[in-house]
Structure formats: structure tokens, C-alpha cells
mmCIF file of all heavy atoms in Angstrom:
data_model
loop_
_atom_site.group_PDB
_atom_site.id
_atom_site.type_symbol
_atom_site.label_atom_id
_atom_site.label_comp_id
_atom_site.label_asym_id
_atom_site.label_seq_id
_atom_site.Cartn_x
_atom_site.Cartn_y
_atom_site.Cartn_z
ATOM 1 N N GLY Z 387 -4.757 -0.746 15.185
ATOM 2 C CA GLY Z 387 -4.963 -2.010 14.483
ATOM 3 C C GLY Z 387 -5.883 -1.977 13.288
ATOM 4 O O GLY Z 387 -6.296 -3.038 12.813
ATOM 5 N N ARG Z 388 -6.200 -0.804 12.768
ATOM 6 C CA ARG Z 388 -7.045 -0.744 11.566
ATOM 7 C C ARG Z 388 -6.182 -0.936 10.323
ATOM 8 O O ARG Z 388 -5.190 -0.247 10.130
ATOM 9 C CB ARG Z 388 -7.809 0.569 11.479
ATOM 10 C CG ARG Z 388 -8.933 0.488 10.434
ATOM 11 C CD ARG Z 388 -9.773 1.735 10.340
ATOM 12 N NE ARG Z 388 -9.054 2.697 9.512
ATOM 13 C CZ ARG Z 388 -8.708 3.915 9.896
ATOM 14 N NH1 ARG Z 388 -8.995 4.337 11.103
ATOM 15 N NH2 ARG Z 388 -8.072 4.723 9.088
ATOM 16 N N ILE Z 389 -6.572 -1.892 9.488
ATOM 17 C CA ILE Z 389 -5.837 -2.214 8.271
ATOM 18 C C ILE Z 389 -6.702 -1.909 7.060
ATOM 19 O O ILE Z 389 -7.885 -2.232 7.030
ATOM 20 C CB ILE Z 389 -5.479 -3.713 8.214
ATOM 21 C CG1 ILE Z 389 -4.611 -4.113 9.391
ATOM 22 C CG2 ILE Z 389 -4.793 -4.064 6.891
ATOM 23 C CD1 ILE Z 389 -4.422 -5.602 9.511
ATOM 24 N N ASP Z 390 -6.073 -1.302 6.049
ATOM 25 C CA ASP Z 390 -6.689 -1.157 4.733
ATOM 26 C C ASP Z 390 -5.687 -1.678 3.722
ATOM 27 O O ASP Z 390 -4.470 -1.494 3.895
ATOM 28 C CB ASP Z 390 -7.002 0.320 4.430
ATOM 29 C CG ASP Z 390 -8.153 0.841 5.267
ATOM 30 O OD1 ASP Z 390 -9.242 0.254 5.213
ATOM 31 O OD2 ASP Z 390 -7.943 1.837 5.984
ATOM 32 N N THR Z 391 -6.171 -2.340 2.675
ATOM 33 C CA THR Z 391 -5.279 -2.852 1.634
ATOM 34 C C THR Z 391 -5.786 -2.438 0.260
ATOM 35 O O THR Z 391 -6.980 -2.175 0.075
ATOM 36 C CB THR Z 391 -5.154 -4.387 1.669
ATOM 37 O OG1 THR Z 391 -6.404 -4.980 1.312
ATOM 38 C CG2 THR Z 391 -4.699 -4.883 3.028
ATOM 39 N N TRP Z 392 -4.842 -2.402 -0.684
ATOM 40 C CA TRP Z 392 -5.155 -2.080 -2.078
ATOM 41 C C TRP Z 392 -4.311 -2.947 -2.990
ATOM 42 O O TRP Z 392 -3.194 -3.332 -2.641
ATOM 43 C CB TRP Z 392 -4.822 -0.618 -2.393
ATOM 44 C CG TRP Z 392 -5.578 0.368 -1.599
ATOM 45 C CD1 TRP Z 392 -6.776 0.954 -1.910
ATOM 46 C CD2 TRP Z 392 -5.199 0.928 -0.339
ATOM 47 N NE1 TRP Z 392 -7.150 1.824 -0.920
ATOM 48 C CE2 TRP Z 392 -6.202 1.828 0.059
ATOM 49 C CE3 TRP Z 392 -4.093 0.743 0.497
ATOM 50 C CZ2 TRP Z 392 -6.145 2.550 1.238
ATOM 51 C CZ3 TRP Z 392 -4.029 1.452 1.684
ATOM 52 C CH2 TRP Z 392 -5.047 2.347 2.041
ATOM 53 N N LEU Z 393 -4.833 -3.192 -4.182
ATOM 54 C CA LEU Z 393 -4.098 -3.899 -5.218
ATOM 55 C C LEU Z 393 -4.238 -3.101 -6.506
ATOM 56 O O LEU Z 393 -5.341 -2.687 -6.872
ATOM 57 C CB LEU Z 393 -4.661 -5.311 -5.425
ATOM 58 C CG LEU Z 393 -3.976 -6.147 -6.507
ATOM 59 C CD1 LEU Z 393 -2.554 -6.497 -6.090
ATOM 60 C CD2 LEU Z 393 -4.787 -7.408 -6.786
ATOM 61 N N LYS Z 394 -3.126 -2.872 -7.180
ATOM 62 C CA LYS Z 394 -3.119 -2.154 -8.453
ATOM 63 C C LYS Z 394 -2.531 -3.071 -9.515
ATOM 64 O O LYS Z 394 -1.502 -3.700 -9.289
ATOM 65 C CB LYS Z 394 -2.274 -0.871 -8.329
ATOM 66 C CG LYS Z 394 -2.076 -0.113 -9.621
ATOM 67 C CD LYS Z 394 -3.333 0.564 -10.071
ATOM 68 C CE LYS Z 394 -3.061 1.457 -11.270
ATOM 69 N NZ LYS Z 394 -4.282 1.937 -11.871
ATOM 70 N N THR Z 395 -3.179 -3.153 -10.662
ATOM 71 C CA THR Z 395 -2.662 -3.938 -11.773
ATOM 72 C C THR Z 395 -2.539 -3.062 -13.010
ATOM 73 O O THR Z 395 -3.239 -2.057 -13.136
ATOM 74 C CB THR Z 395 -3.577 -5.135 -12.102
ATOM 75 O OG1 THR Z 395 -4.872 -4.650 -12.461
ATOM 76 C CG2 THR Z 395 -3.704 -6.082 -10.922
ATOM 77 N N THR Z 396 -1.638 -3.446 -13.882
ATOM 78 C CA THR Z 396 -1.507 -2.783 -15.177
ATOM 79 C C THR Z 396 -1.463 -3.850 -16.249
ATOM 80 O O THR Z 396 -1.024 -4.978 -15.995
ATOM 81 C CB THR Z 396 -0.225 -1.921 -15.275
ATOM 82 O OG1 THR Z 396 0.911 -2.767 -15.129
ATOM 83 C CG2 THR Z 396 -0.203 -0.817 -14.232
ATOM 84 N N PRO Z 397 -1.891 -3.516 -17.458
ATOM 85 C CA PRO Z 397 -1.842 -4.504 -18.542
ATOM 86 C C PRO Z 397 -0.389 -4.856 -18.899
ATOM 87 O O PRO Z 397 0.498 -4.012 -18.821
ATOM 88 C CB PRO Z 397 -2.515 -3.800 -19.721
ATOM 89 C CG PRO Z 397 -3.111 -2.548 -19.184
ATOM 90 C CD PRO Z 397 -2.494 -2.263 -17.862
ATOM 91 N N THR Z 398 -0.188 -6.098 -19.271
ATOM 92 C CA THR Z 398 1.132 -6.545 -19.703
ATOM 93 C C THR Z 398 1.452 -5.942 -21.058
ATOM 94 O O THR Z 398 0.597 -5.876 -21.936
ATOM 95 C CB THR Z 398 1.163 -8.082 -19.793
ATOM 96 O OG1 THR Z 398 0.817 -8.611 -18.518
ATOM 97 C CG2 THR Z 398 2.530 -8.585 -20.201
ATOM 98 N N LEU Z 399 2.679 -5.503 -21.201
ATOM 99 C CA LEU Z 399 3.134 -4.968 -22.484
ATOM 100 C C LEU Z 399 3.824 -6.079 -23.260
ATOM 101 O O LEU Z 399 4.533 -6.902 -22.691
ATOM 102 C CB LEU Z 399 4.106 -3.805 -22.269
ATOM 103 C CG LEU Z 399 3.568 -2.593 -21.506
ATOM 104 C CD1 LEU Z 399 4.665 -1.562 -21.334
ATOM 105 C CD2 LEU Z 399 2.378 -1.988 -22.235
ATOM 106 N N GLY Z 400 3.644 -6.067 -24.558
ATOM 107 C CA GLY Z 400 4.284 -7.069 -25.400
ATOM 108 C C GLY Z 400 5.753 -6.766 -25.625
ATOM 109 O O GLY Z 400 6.266 -5.715 -25.214
ATOM 110 N N PRO Z 401 6.431 -7.683 -26.307
ATOM 111 C CA PRO Z 401 7.866 -7.524 -26.542
ATOM 112 C C PRO Z 401 8.213 -6.343 -27.465
ATOM 113 O O PRO Z 401 9.355 -5.914 -27.506
ATOM 114 C CB PRO Z 401 8.280 -8.850 -27.179
ATOM 115 C CG PRO Z 401 7.028 -9.456 -27.691
ATOM 116 C CD PRO Z 401 5.911 -8.930 -26.848
ATOM 117 N N THR Z 402 7.222 -5.813 -28.153
ATOM 118 C CA THR Z 402 7.482 -4.682 -29.052
ATOM 119 C C THR Z 402 7.041 -3.354 -28.445
ATOM 120 O O THR Z 402 6.910 -2.360 -29.156
ATOM 121 C CB THR Z 402 6.766 -4.900 -30.405
ATOM 122 O OG1 THR Z 402 5.353 -5.003 -30.158
ATOM 123 C CG2 THR Z 402 7.276 -6.149 -31.100
ATOM 124 N N ALA Z 403 6.838 -3.332 -27.134
ATOM 125 C CA ALA Z 403 6.395 -2.104 -26.466
ATOM 126 C C ALA Z 403 7.421 -0.991 -26.669
ATOM 127 O O ALA Z 403 8.626 -1.219 -26.608
ATOM 128 C CB ALA Z 403 6.192 -2.359 -24.985
ATOM 129 N N THR Z 404 6.918 0.190 -26.878
ATOM 130 C CA THR Z 404 7.796 1.344 -27.072
ATOM 131 C C THR Z 404 8.319 1.839 -25.731
ATOM 132 O O THR Z 404 7.755 1.534 -24.670
ATOM 133 C CB THR Z 404 7.029 2.491 -27.752
ATOM 134 O OG1 THR Z 404 5.997 2.928 -26.855
ATOM 135 C CG2 THR Z 404 6.428 2.049 -29.083
ATOM 136 N N LEU Z 405 9.377 2.614 -25.778
ATOM 137 C CA LEU Z 405 9.889 3.231 -24.555
ATOM 138 C C LEU Z 405 8.825 4.093 -23.896
ATOM 139 O O LEU Z 405 8.708 4.130 -22.670
ATOM 140 C CB LEU Z 405 11.126 4.079 -24.852
ATOM 141 C CG LEU Z 405 12.441 3.335 -25.015
ATOM 142 C CD1 LEU Z 405 13.558 4.309 -25.374
ATOM 143 C CD2 LEU Z 405 12.793 2.580 -23.751
ATOM 144 N N HIS Z 406 8.039 4.771 -24.727
ATOM 145 C CA HIS Z 406 6.972 5.621 -24.213
ATOM 146 C C HIS Z 406 5.964 4.786 -23.406
ATOM 147 O O HIS Z 406 5.560 5.176 -22.309
ATOM 148 C CB HIS Z 406 6.281 6.347 -25.365
ATOM 149 C CG HIS Z 406 5.262 7.334 -24.923
ATOM 150 N ND1 HIS Z 406 5.597 8.548 -24.366
ATOM 151 C CD2 HIS Z 406 3.905 7.282 -24.929
ATOM 152 C CE1 HIS Z 406 4.502 9.208 -24.062
ATOM 153 N NE2 HIS Z 406 3.451 8.454 -24.387
ATOM 154 N N ALA Z 407 5.584 3.615 -23.936
ATOM 155 C CA ALA Z 407 4.620 2.753 -23.249
ATOM 156 C C ALA Z 407 5.194 2.234 -21.928
ATOM 157 O O ALA Z 407 4.497 2.200 -20.911
ATOM 158 C CB ALA Z 407 4.215 1.591 -24.148
ATOM 159 N N VAL Z 408 6.463 1.842 -21.935
ATOM 160 C CA VAL Z 408 7.101 1.344 -20.720
ATOM 161 C C VAL Z 408 7.194 2.463 -19.684
ATOM 162 O O VAL Z 408 6.875 2.269 -18.510
ATOM 163 C CB VAL Z 408 8.499 0.759 -21.028
ATOM 164 C CG1 VAL Z 408 9.238 0.420 -19.746
ATOM 165 C CG2 VAL Z 408 8.372 -0.476 -21.923
ATOM 166 N N ALA Z 409 7.609 3.642 -20.125
ATOM 167 C CA ALA Z 409 7.720 4.781 -19.207
ATOM 168 C C ALA Z 409 6.357 5.149 -18.631
ATOM 169 O O ALA Z 409 6.251 5.477 -17.443
ATOM 170 C CB ALA Z 409 8.351 5.973 -19.919
ATOM 171 N N ASP Z 410 5.314 5.088 -19.443
ATOM 172 C CA ASP Z 410 3.960 5.370 -18.949
ATOM 173 C C ASP Z 410 3.540 4.347 -17.893
ATOM 174 O O ASP Z 410 2.943 4.710 -16.873
ATOM 175 C CB ASP Z 410 2.954 5.373 -20.094
ATOM 176 C CG ASP Z 410 2.975 6.659 -20.893
ATOM 177 O OD1 ASP Z 410 3.636 7.634 -20.473
ATOM 178 O OD2 ASP Z 410 2.334 6.683 -21.969
ATOM 179 N N ARG Z 411 3.853 3.074 -18.136
ATOM 180 C CA ARG Z 411 3.483 2.025 -17.186
ATOM 181 C C ARG Z 411 4.207 2.247 -15.853
ATOM 182 O O ARG Z 411 3.613 2.127 -14.782
ATOM 183 C CB ARG Z 411 3.845 0.663 -17.766
ATOM 184 C CG ARG Z 411 3.353 -0.500 -16.956
ATOM 185 C CD ARG Z 411 3.711 -1.794 -17.649
ATOM 186 N NE ARG Z 411 3.061 -2.931 -17.025
ATOM 187 C CZ ARG Z 411 3.524 -4.161 -17.093
ATOM 188 N NH1 ARG Z 411 4.615 -4.431 -17.776
ATOM 189 N NH2 ARG Z 411 2.886 -5.138 -16.503
ATOM 190 N N ILE Z 412 5.484 2.589 -15.925
ATOM 191 C CA ILE Z 412 6.236 2.883 -14.713
ATOM 192 C C ILE Z 412 5.610 4.077 -13.991
ATOM 193 O O ILE Z 412 5.419 4.056 -12.776
ATOM 194 C CB ILE Z 412 7.723 3.152 -15.049
ATOM 195 C CG1 ILE Z 412 8.398 1.857 -15.488
ATOM 196 C CG2 ILE Z 412 8.456 3.786 -13.857
ATOM 197 C CD1 ILE Z 412 9.783 2.043 -16.087
ATOM 198 N N GLY Z 413 5.262 5.114 -14.750
ATOM 199 C CA GLY Z 413 4.652 6.311 -14.168
ATOM 200 C C GLY Z 413 3.313 6.036 -13.513
ATOM 201 O O GLY Z 413 3.010 6.590 -12.448
ATOM 202 N N VAL Z 414 2.512 5.181 -14.124
ATOM 203 C CA VAL Z 414 1.201 4.838 -13.558
ATOM 204 C C VAL Z 414 1.375 4.149 -12.205
ATOM 205 O O VAL Z 414 0.737 4.509 -11.212
ATOM 206 C CB VAL Z 414 0.395 3.946 -14.530
ATOM 207 C CG1 VAL Z 414 -0.781 3.276 -13.838
ATOM 208 C CG2 VAL Z 414 -0.095 4.767 -15.714
ATOM 209 N N MET Z 415 2.258 3.155 -12.166
ATOM 210 C CA MET Z 415 2.463 2.427 -10.900
ATOM 211 C C MET Z 415 3.084 3.328 -9.839
ATOM 212 O O MET Z 415 2.659 3.306 -8.688
ATOM 213 C CB MET Z 415 3.346 1.202 -11.118
ATOM 214 C CG MET Z 415 2.578 0.012 -11.616
ATOM 215 S SD MET Z 415 1.192 -0.409 -10.530
ATOM 216 C CE MET Z 415 1.157 -2.150 -10.738
ATOM 217 N N ALA Z 416 4.079 4.106 -10.221
ATOM 218 C CA ALA Z 416 4.742 4.980 -9.242
ATOM 219 C C ALA Z 416 3.776 6.044 -8.733
ATOM 220 O O ALA Z 416 3.742 6.330 -7.529
ATOM 221 C CB ALA Z 416 5.976 5.627 -9.862
ATOM 222 N N GLY Z 417 2.984 6.612 -9.616
ATOM 223 C CA GLY Z 417 2.019 7.630 -9.210
ATOM 224 C C GLY Z 417 0.969 7.074 -8.262
ATOM 225 O O GLY Z 417 0.596 7.719 -7.270
ATOM 226 N N TRP Z 418 0.484 5.871 -8.573
ATOM 227 C CA TRP Z 418 -0.509 5.234 -7.713
ATOM 228 C C TRP Z 418 0.073 5.004 -6.318
ATOM 229 O O TRP Z 418 -0.535 5.374 -5.310
ATOM 230 C CB TRP Z 418 -0.961 3.899 -8.315
ATOM 231 C CG TRP Z 418 -1.787 3.074 -7.379
ATOM 232 C CD1 TRP Z 418 -3.119 3.238 -7.099
ATOM 233 C CD2 TRP Z 418 -1.338 1.979 -6.577
ATOM 234 N NE1 TRP Z 418 -3.526 2.306 -6.169
ATOM 235 C CE2 TRP Z 418 -2.447 1.520 -5.846
ATOM 236 C CE3 TRP Z 418 -0.114 1.340 -6.409
ATOM 237 C CZ2 TRP Z 418 -2.364 0.443 -4.958
ATOM 238 C CZ3 TRP Z 418 -0.025 0.273 -5.530
ATOM 239 C CH2 TRP Z 418 -1.147 -0.166 -4.817
ATOM 240 N N ALA Z 419 1.252 4.373 -6.261
ATOM 241 C CA ALA Z 419 1.852 4.019 -4.975
ATOM 242 C C ALA Z 419 2.177 5.259 -4.148
ATOM 243 O O ALA Z 419 1.819 5.340 -2.967
ATOM 244 C CB ALA Z 419 3.110 3.179 -5.199
ATOM 245 N N ALA Z 420 2.848 6.222 -4.745
ATOM 246 C CA ALA Z 420 3.216 7.439 -4.007
ATOM 247 C C ALA Z 420 1.973 8.227 -3.609
ATOM 248 O O ALA Z 420 1.959 8.886 -2.563
ATOM 249 C CB ALA Z 420 4.161 8.295 -4.835
ATOM 250 N N GLY Z 421 0.922 8.130 -4.412
ATOM 251 C CA GLY Z 421 -0.321 8.838 -4.127
ATOM 252 C C GLY Z 421 -1.070 8.309 -2.914
ATOM 253 O O GLY Z 421 -1.976 8.969 -2.400
ATOM 254 N N LEU Z 422 -0.702 7.133 -2.429
ATOM 255 C CA LEU Z 422 -1.339 6.586 -1.231
ATOM 256 C C LEU Z 422 -0.827 7.240 0.048
ATOM 257 O O LEU Z 422 -1.442 7.127 1.095
ATOM 258 C CB LEU Z 422 -1.126 5.069 -1.160
ATOM 259 C CG LEU Z 422 -1.841 4.256 -2.246
ATOM 260 C CD1 LEU Z 422 -1.386 2.812 -2.208
ATOM 261 C CD2 LEU Z 422 -3.351 4.354 -2.087
ATOM 262 N N ALA Z 423 0.318 7.890 -0.041
ATOM 263 C CA ALA Z 423 0.863 8.591 1.130
ATOM 264 C C ALA Z 423 0.031 9.838 1.395
ATOM 265 O O ALA Z 423 -0.318 10.573 0.471
ATOM 266 C CB ALA Z 423 2.321 8.972 0.886
ATOM 267 N N THR Z 424 -0.307 10.054 2.654
ATOM 268 C CA THR Z 424 -1.106 11.208 3.044
ATOM 269 C C THR Z 424 -0.379 11.960 4.159
ATOM 270 O O THR Z 424 0.687 11.539 4.606
ATOM 271 C CB THR Z 424 -2.494 10.778 3.569
ATOM 272 O OG1 THR Z 424 -2.315 10.095 4.826
ATOM 273 C CG2 THR Z 424 -3.215 9.873 2.577
ATOM 274 N N THR Z 425 -1.000 13.012 4.626
ATOM 275 C CA THR Z 425 -0.400 13.757 5.743
ATOM 276 C C THR Z 425 -0.344 12.898 7.004
ATOM 277 O O THR Z 425 0.414 13.201 7.912
ATOM 278 C CB THR Z 425 -1.176 15.049 6.041
ATOM 279 O OG1 THR Z 425 -2.547 14.712 6.298
ATOM 280 C CG2 THR Z 425 -1.082 16.022 4.886
ATOM 281 N N GLY Z 426 -1.117 11.820 7.063
ATOM 282 C CA GLY Z 426 -1.097 10.927 8.213
ATOM 283 C C GLY Z 426 -0.040 9.837 8.142
ATOM 284 O O GLY Z 426 0.128 9.066 9.084
ATOM 285 N N THR Z 427 0.675 9.744 7.020
ATOM 286 C CA THR Z 427 1.690 8.703 6.867
ATOM 287 C C THR Z 427 2.928 9.076 7.684
ATOM 288 O O THR Z 427 3.630 10.018 7.339
ATOM 289 C CB THR Z 427 2.068 8.509 5.383
ATOM 290 O OG1 THR Z 427 0.885 8.239 4.610
ATOM 291 C CG2 THR Z 427 3.058 7.359 5.224
ATOM 292 N N ILE Z 428 3.169 8.338 8.765
ATOM 293 C CA ILE Z 428 4.330 8.632 9.616
ATOM 294 C C ILE Z 428 5.561 7.827 9.213
ATOM 295 O O ILE Z 428 6.678 8.170 9.593
ATOM 296 C CB ILE Z 428 4.014 8.408 11.105
ATOM 297 C CG1 ILE Z 428 3.694 6.946 11.385
ATOM 298 C CG2 ILE Z 428 2.892 9.330 11.569
ATOM 299 C CD1 ILE Z 428 3.683 6.582 12.851
ATOM 300 N N LEU Z 429 5.349 6.749 8.459
ATOM 301 C CA LEU Z 429 6.436 5.899 8.013
ATOM 302 C C LEU Z 429 5.968 5.131 6.788
ATOM 303 O O LEU Z 429 4.854 4.611 6.774
ATOM 304 C CB LEU Z 429 6.828 4.906 9.125
ATOM 305 C CG LEU Z 429 7.872 3.841 8.792
ATOM 306 C CD1 LEU Z 429 9.235 4.476 8.518
ATOM 307 C CD2 LEU Z 429 7.976 2.818 9.937
ATOM 308 N N ALA Z 430 6.817 5.070 5.772
ATOM 309 C CA ALA Z 430 6.553 4.231 4.604
ATOM 310 C C ALA Z 430 7.537 3.077 4.632
ATOM 311 O O ALA Z 430 8.718 3.270 4.913
ATOM 312 C CB ALA Z 430 6.710 5.031 3.320
ATOM 313 N N VAL Z 431 7.031 1.894 4.379
ATOM 314 C CA VAL Z 431 7.862 0.694 4.327
ATOM 315 C C VAL Z 431 7.761 0.150 2.909
ATOM 316 O O VAL Z 431 6.669 -0.098 2.412
ATOM 317 C CB VAL Z 431 7.388 -0.367 5.342
ATOM 318 C CG1 VAL Z 431 8.322 -1.559 5.346
ATOM 319 C CG2 VAL Z 431 7.259 0.228 6.724
ATOM 320 N N VAL Z 432 8.911 0.000 2.280
ATOM 321 C CA VAL Z 432 8.951 -0.455 0.894
ATOM 322 C C VAL Z 432 9.750 -1.748 0.841
ATOM 323 O O VAL Z 432 10.826 -1.841 1.433
ATOM 324 C CB VAL Z 432 9.611 0.614 -0.008
ATOM 325 C CG1 VAL Z 432 9.611 0.178 -1.461
ATOM 326 C CG2 VAL Z 432 8.901 1.950 0.149
ATOM 327 N N GLU Z 433 9.195 -2.736 0.133
ATOM 328 C CA GLU Z 433 9.947 -3.969 -0.025
ATOM 329 C C GLU Z 433 11.147 -3.701 -0.913
ATOM 330 O O GLU Z 433 11.023 -3.106 -1.980
ATOM 331 C CB GLU Z 433 9.075 -5.066 -0.626
ATOM 332 C CG GLU Z 433 9.765 -6.419 -0.627
ATOM 333 C CD GLU Z 433 8.861 -7.536 -1.086
ATOM 334 O OE1 GLU Z 433 8.428 -7.501 -2.243
ATOM 335 O OE2 GLU Z 433 8.593 -8.439 -0.265
#
């Protein structure tokens, strides 16, 4: 029953954001989320 929570935010990109900026933002979020998995993770649940 031990719970830990995290929240990650990224800055909003404007309508003129480059593909590079969008790809970086996706990479930051994906890297953060996947990086939370450890050797103790027996199951990941994704919405």
C-alpha cells in the first residue's frame, strides 16, 4: 500500500514551433515517463 506520485510539466509551444521543438518535447515527456520504470516494476499501466 505504499504510494508515490509525480507530476511532469513542459512549456507550451506556440503555433510556429518547429518540428525539432515538438520532437524534443515528445522526447522529454517519453524519457521522463519511461525512466520511472525500475527493476522493481512488475507491471506498467498506461492510460
Side-chain angles (χ1 to χ4, degrees):
R388 194 177 81 237
I389 300 170
D390 289 303
T391 67
W392 299 269
L393 179 68
K394 174 72 173 170
T395 60
T396 62
T398 302
L399 300 178
T402 60
T404 65
L405 281 177
H406 185 74
V408 172
D410 281 351
R411 187 177 190 205
I412 290 169
V414 165
M415 277 305 212
W418 170 79
L422 293 171
T424 68
T425 56
T427 305
I428 64 167
L429 174 66
V431 184
V432 182
E433 188 174 63

